[in-house]
Amino acid sequence: MKIGFIGVGNMSSAIIKGLLAVDFVKPADIYVHSGTKSKYEAFAKEYGLTTCESNSEVVQSADYVMLGIKPYILTDILKEIKETVRQENVILISMVTGISLAEMQADLENDDAKIVRIMPNVNVEINEGMTALKPNKAVKESEFQDTVDIFTALGQVIELPEKDFSIFVALAGSSPAFIYFFIDSLARAGVKYGLTKKQADQIVAQAVLGSAKKVLTTDKTPFELVDDVCSPGGTTIAGLLALEEAGFMTSVVKAVDATVQKDQNK
Ligand SMILES: NC(=O)C1=CN([C@@H]2O[C@H](COP(=O)(O)OP(=O)(O)OC[C@H]3O[C@@H](n4cnc5c(N)ncnc54)[C@H](OP(=O)(O)O)[C@@H]3O)[C@@H](O)[C@H]2O)C=CC1
Ligand SMILES: O=C(O)[C@@H]1CCC=N1
C-alpha cells in the first residue's frame, strides 16, 4: 500500500511516525508534499520517505492520500488536485476539521471522488490514538477496510456519522490538549508543595494512565470509581468538593461547548 500526505505538520507527522513504528508500510512507500519544500524535504530525509514536487504528484503516486492541511486552505488544494483525482483511482482521507464529505465533493466537482473523513488525535504517534471514520458512498468496502486497518494500527477506531464529528473533535481530537493541561496543572500543584516538576509530571502522568486503564477495563462507571477512592471523612472527598466548588465539571463542559462551536463555524 502506498500512502501519501498533502501537508506534513503536527498531525500528519504523528500518523507517519506511528505507521513506521509498527512497520505498517515501508518508509519509501510514504509520499509527502507540503507548503515549504525545506521542511518536508528535511522530514522525508530523516525518515526515509519519498518526496513529491506537488500535491498532484502525491495523488498520482499513492493509493491513499491524507489531507493534513488547515481548513482554510482545503478548498484551494482540492481545486488544485481535482483533475488528477479524476484520473487516478485514489482514496482521499481528510483529517480536516469542520469540512463535510459533501463540501469536499463540491470543491472537487466530483460526486464519484472517493473520500473518507477522519478525525484522529496526536496519540497515533505512540499507537494509542482514537480515530473516527466516515466514508462517502463512492468508497468501496475493501477500500474503507484498508483505511480502518491503517488507523487500527495506530490505536482505537470508531465509525461515526458526520453529525457526531464535532463532539468527537472535542472528546478525542482536541482533548489531548485538555488532558495535558490537566496533567500540567496537577503537577504544578505538586511543585507548590516542593516536588520537582519532573517528579510531579511523572507521578501525575502515571496516575492518569492508570485511571484511564481502569476505566477501560472495569464494568464500573467513572462515578462509581470516584466513590471507591473517596474514603469517608478522607482526603479525596475534601479535594473533590473543592474541585467542584471551583466549577470543575462546568469548566470541562464549557471547553467542549467552545470546541464544538468552533468546529461548526469553520
Ligand atoms: N494537530 C492535531 O492534534 C490535530 C489536527 N487535526 C487537523 O489536521 C489538519 C492539520 O493540522 P496540523 O497538522 O495540526 O497543522 P500544521 O499547521 O501542523 O500543518 C499544516 C500542514 O499544511 C501544510 N501546507 C500549507 N500549505 C500547503 C499547501 N499549499 N500544499 C500542501 N501543504 C500545505 C503545511 O506545510 P509547511 O509547514 O511545510 O508550510 C503543514 O505541513 C487540520 O485540519 C487540523 O484541524 C485533526 C486532529 C488533530
Ligand atoms: O485545534 C485544532 O483545530 C485541531 C483539531 C483537533 C486538534 N487540533
Side-chain angles (χ1 to χ4, degrees):
M1 183 191 294
K2 293 178 178 180
I3 305 178
F5 288 82
I6 292 180
V8 200
N10 290 316
M11 196 57 241
S12 293
S13 60
I15 292 172
I16 292 169
K17 288 175 196 170
L19 290 176
L20 295 179
V22 292
D23 294 325
F24 189 87
V25 276
K26 290 198 283 284
D29 285 338
I30 295 180
Y31 296 78
V32 294
H33 179 261
S34 76
T36 312
K37 196 174 168 92
S38 56
K39 279 203 222 170
Y40 75 82
E41 280 192 345
F43 183 75
K45 194 169 174 203
E46 188 179 349
Y47 289 92
L49 318 178
T50 303
T51 55
C52 293
E53 287 300 316
S54 67
N55 293 325
S56 295
E57 193 185 323
V58 178
V59 176
Q60 279 164 348
S61 308
D63 311 304
Y64 292 83
V65 170
M66 307 230 190
L67 302 171
I69 49 195
K70 297 287 190 192
Y72 71 92
I73 56 164
L74 180 64
T75 293
D76 286 346
I77 294 205
L78 291 177
K79 288 189 187 308
E80 181 189 328
I81 63 174
K82 74 178 175 192
E83 288 312 322
T84 320
V85 170
R86 263 183 215 286
Q87 290 155 16
E88 303 287 334
N89 183 31
V90 69
I91 292 94
L92 300 176
I93 302 176
S94 170
M95 66 189 81
V96 179
T97 45
I99 314 284
S100 68
L101 290 164
E103 287 170 300
M104 289 184 268
Q105 284 164 208
D107 282 338
L108 288 164
E109 297 174 53
N110 181 357
D111 284 348
D112 296 328
K114 298 175 180 185
I115 314 174
V116 181
R117 183 176 172 189
I118 63 157
M119 182 45 54
N121 73 15
V122 279
N123 294 330
V124 294
E125 181 173 341
I126 54 160
N127 307 89
E128 289 288 355
M130 180 71 236
T131 304
L133 304 100
K134 179 68 194 171
N136 72 355
K137 289 202 177 85
V139 176
K140 287 188 201 150
E141 217 171 294
S142 60
E143 294 163 340
F144 182 55
Q145 190 54 51
D146 282 347
T147 315
V148 168
D149 290 348
I150 294 172
F151 286 92
T152 302
L154 297 171
Q156 300 292 315
V157 298
I158 185 169
E159 187 177 350
L160 281 181
E162 283 194 283
K163 71 172 180 54
D164 292 337
F165 266 59
S166 290
I167 183 59
F168 186 87
V169 172
L171 298 192
S174 296
S175 72
F178 308 155
I179 295 162
Y180 301 144
F181 195 49
F182 172 74
I183 291 173
D184 188 72
S185 302
L186 199 52
R188 224 162 270 280
V191 175
K192 182 180 175 189
Y193 284 87
L195 296 177
T196 66
K197 187 66 177 8
K198 198 172 170 196
Q199 286 174 319
D201 282 343
Q202 194 191 347
I203 292 166
V204 174
Q206 179 58 33
V208 170
L209 177 68
S211 306
K213 279 193 174 168
K214 181 79 176 176
V215 171
L216 289 172
T217 53
T218 180
D219 290 336
K220 291 184 176 182
T221 66
F223 238 89
E224 287 170 317
L225 295 174
V226 168
D227 283 346
D228 288 349
V229 188
C230 290
S231 310
T235 55
T236 315
I237 189 65
L240 193 75
L241 291 174
L243 202 58
E244 199 38 27
E245 191 183 347
F248 184 69
M249 196 186 288
T250 308
S251 303
V252 171
V253 176
K254 271 181 180 290
V256 168
D257 288 344
T259 309
V260 167
Q261 215 174 0
K262 181 72 181 170
D263 187 66
Q264 291 176 347
N265 292 331
K266 281 265 162 66

